[in-house]
Each structure stands twice: as structure tokens, then as C-alpha cells.
Amino acid sequence: MSWHILGVGALGSLWATRLARAGVPVRIILRSSQRLADYQRAGGLTLSEVGESSLHAIPAELPEANTSIQRLLVACKAYDAEAAIARLAPRLANNCEILLLQNGLGSQQAIAERWPQARCIFVSSTEGAYREGPLQVVFAGRGQNWLGDPNGGSAPVWLDELDRAGIPQIWSTDIVARLWRKLALNCAINPLTVLHDCRNGDLLQYREQLAALCQELGTLLEANGQAPAATDLQDEVLRVIEATAANYSSMYQDVRLGRRTEIAYLLGHACRSADALGVAVPLLHDLHDRLRKRLSLRGLPTD
Ligand code: NAD
Ligand code: KPL
């Protein structure tokens, strides 16, 4: 059975090239005839890691191709994922699996509700990749992938294909808790790096602000039934800041490069969820407002 990969950017290319290299059947789905022609001209996807580059001529197709899709890995940004799947929805087999690699929360739930015939597997990834060119990906940071089904059920048999491909994986029975925890870390760190225009490590000057945000985020996690994900949140935020002190956060980099951020699925999701549950989070709302103003000033979407 073939994997189909939708969203052939940084992370999608990283998965596609490693699967193909291990001999696992994989096809990539490109969004337009123009991109398909560019891909065919390039002769494949290029993966660079530890200074070595390799070209992978992976079969490619358009969303409108007519073969059925049994297993789909969606590696678009959170704001593109649902519309991207909608374009190929007629091809989804009844009992298909959709792996969702998006950061934050909200997009995964919308997709799972819209295509209830699919088994949606949520993925939380700490691997790092970036695009050097349209069809060239650099594997920038080793990490882990946690996969899980929010509705429970057993681990899929194809996890061994990921092992064969060298894609690190752990089957998680609490994937939503893991995504909430990551969302909380991202909400505490990323917006402040944009607003203070700084590297992660510089946030250590704002410990009180971080502590107050972590307090609200912890309350929000508890209200969402995610009390374990709130445990020692502030300590972990400080640990992550120290471990990544020299880095710029992903949101900072998006803003710097004039790219749309995933704010709606991070801070936006936190604020919407607090409002729905009647939890007061004035600091998160204030941070959200200030971040949206900053994005707007830079001519970027605020959602
Ligand atoms: P990216 O922008 O590099 O890639 C997204 C790709 O999706 C682009 O190539 C875009 O053209 C494609 N796309 C958008 N709409 C499409 C459509 N309708 N049909 C086909 N393709 C479409 O993004 P990324 O960095 O790979 O991130 C993907 C997700 O993974 C994000 O939610 C991100 O937060 C998460 N993530 C990324 C990393 C990383 O290191 N890059 C790490 C962890 C999590
Ligand atoms: O995940 C991150 C990001 O940059 O998106 C860090 C900074 C590690 C935590 O917010």
C-alpha cells in the first residue's frame, strides 16, 4: 500500500525522501501543474543532511488524479490543511488513514469532524527541517515524532515502515495531551520572541512575564481536562528556553521572512478555548492582541 504525501514543503519532503530511500512505496501530491512540471524538470526532491545531498525521484501527481488514497500524510501548514484535503477528498478510501503533522490544535479536530470515515492520526513532531529551495529540504534537527489516535485504538502495523525508514516514532496513547503541552510551550515562548524581537534565550530577562503566562496556560490546560499536561509547565518552558537559547523561534522566523504564522492554531486556539469554557485568561488575550497588531503592522495575516 502506498503512502501519499500532501504538502511537499520542509517536513513533507523529509518524510517522503526517507520513506522512498527505504523502499517504502510513496507518492507526492503537488498543488498545480506548474509545480508538477517544475518537479519533473528537477528530477526529484533533494534531501540534504550532514553536508550530503541526495536526489529522490519519487512518483508525483496532482490532487485530481484518480487513484484511491488509503494512507495520507498531510504536511501542509495548519491554515492550509483542511482545504488541501478537500481538493482530493473524492479519492479518500472509506477506511483510509490521515496522518496530521500540523503544529498547534484546531486544524486536526476540524479535519477529523469533516471526514469521519477516516482514521485521523495526530502527530507531534520535534524534528526540524527547512526548505533551501522549492524542491530542496535540509534536515536541520533530529527529534522525535509522537503519533496517536485521539479516539484510541491499536497502533498501526505500518509503524515498522517508519522504523525501516529511520523516521523516529513513538505511539502515544495521550496524543491530545502532548499537543496541548506543546501548544502551551509555543504560546509562552514564540509570541514573546516576536514582540521583544529576540532569540529564545533573551526571554530569560522576562521571567515574571513567563511565570504569569504559564500560570494562565496551566489553568487553561486543567479546564480542558489536561491537568497532567500542566505539570511543571513553567520549569519546562525555562528548560526549553535554555536549551534553545541561541535559536530564533519558528514564529519569529516566519515573521522575519514575511510568512503567515500559525497564530490561530496556537495563541488563537488557547484564547478561543478559554472563552468557550469561561476561563479568564487576560494575559493570553492581551498577548494575542499585541501579537496580532504586530503582524498587522508587518502586513501579515492576523489569523
Ligand atoms: P512548509 O511551508 O515548508 O510546507 C507546506 C507545504 O504545503 C508547502 O510546500 C505548500 O506549497 C504545501 N501546500 C499548501 N497548500 C497545499 C495544497 N492545497 N495542496 C498541496 N500542497 C499544499 O511547512 P513545514 O515547515 O513543512 O510545516 C508543516 C507543518 O509541520 C506545520 O504545521 C509546522 O508547524 C509543522 N512542523 C514543522 C517543522 C519543521 O521543522 N519544518 C517541525 C515541526 C512541526
Ligand atoms: O517549538 C518551538 C518553536 O520555535 O516553534 C520552541 C521555541 C522550541 C518552543 O516554543
Side-chain angles (χ1 to χ4, degrees):
M1 186 186 300
S2 186
W3 288 72
H4 282 83
I5 300 203
L6 177 63
V8 188
L11 226 48
S13 301
L14 186 61
W15 280 64
T17 50
R18 288 181 296 180
L19 287 167
R21 187 169 63 182
V24 175
V26 56
R27 303 183 70 83
I28 56 174
I29 301 174
L30 298 168
R31 66 198 304 183
S32 64
S33 310
Q34 180 62 55
R35 288 202 185 205
L36 188 56
D38 292 345
Y39 175 77
Q40 275 151 358
R41 240 188 325 274
L45 290 175
T46 300
L47 170 68
S48 300
E49 55 180 333
V50 283
E52 301 224 335
S53 291
S54 49
L55 182 69
H56 302 267
I58 301 168
E61 62 193 34
L62 290 173
E64 295 74 24
N66 51 21
T67 50
S68 113
I69 296 177
Q70 195 66 47
R71 185 175 312 128
L72 180 69
L73 175 81
V74 183
C76 303
K77 296 283 194 184
Y79 46 77
D80 280 330
E82 184 177 348
I85 300 174
R87 265 186 77 186
L88 51 67
R91 300 175 58 194
L92 294 174
N94 249 340
N95 54 349
C96 69
E97 293 160 305
I98 305 182
L99 281 79
L100 298 166
L101 238 76
Q102 289 61 49
N103 204 6
L105 280 165
S107 67
Q108 303 92 331
Q109 287 83 352
I111 289 164
E113 272 169 35
R114 182 157 172 191
W115 289 286
Q117 77 276 24
R119 183 184 195 197
C120 286
I121 291 175
F122 297 2
V123 186
S124 178
S125 179
T126 59
E127 293 197 286
Y130 64 88
R131 277 182 288 169
E132 213 165 33
L135 299 163
Q136 296 182 331
V137 62
V138 178
F139 191 2
R142 303 215 166 262
Q144 186 55 267
N145 297 293
W146 286 269
L147 292 83
D149 180 343
N151 296 320
S154 52
V157 288
W158 44 257
L159 288 178
D160 69 346
E161 290 187 350
L162 301 187
D163 295 339
R164 260 173 47 213
I167 299 176
Q169 58 83 14
I170 294 176
W171 183 250
S172 167
T173 52
D174 59 358
I175 190 67
V176 176
R178 193 164 278 286
L179 285 162
W180 264 113
R181 176 77 167 195
K182 174 106 192 300
L183 178 147
L185 288 167
N186 286 161
C187 284
I189 299 173
N190 298 12
L192 287 181
T193 62
V194 174
L195 291 170
H196 292 300
D197 193 11
C198 67
R199 293 178 197 262
N200 294 352
D202 298 324
L203 295 182
L204 292 173
Q205 300 165 54
Y206 308 102
R207 278 173 192 263
E208 278 179 20
Q209 200 176 1
L210 286 168
L213 282 173
C214 287
Q215 180 73 39
E216 281 192 4
L217 286 162
T219 307
L220 178 62
L221 292 179
E222 283 163 15
N224 272 286
Q226 302 293 346
T231 311
D232 297 332
L233 179 62
Q234 190 187 334
D235 290 346
E236 191 174 354
V237 165
L238 293 175
R239 257 198 315 277
V240 170
I241 288 176
E242 277 162 12
T244 61
N247 299 356
Y248 288 107
S249 77
S250 55
M251 188 179 274
Y252 179 99
Q253 293 181 48
D254 282 341
V255 173
R256 250 297 147 86
L257 295 170
R259 292 193 188 136
R260 183 174 175 183
T261 69
E262 294 183 302
I263 177 178
Y265 303 88
L266 297 167
L267 208 41
H269 185 81
C271 290
R272 277 192 306 279
S273 150
D275 291 348
L277 294 167
V279 179
V281 288
L283 298 176
L284 289 175
H285 274 299
D286 177 60
L287 190 62
H288 190 212
D289 290 345
R290 285 190 292 134
L291 183 60
R292 292 176 73 210
K293 281 198 190 101
R294 182 64 62 92
L295 296 177
S296 185
L297 276 174
R298 298 192 70 121
L300 291 171
T302 57
D303 61 350

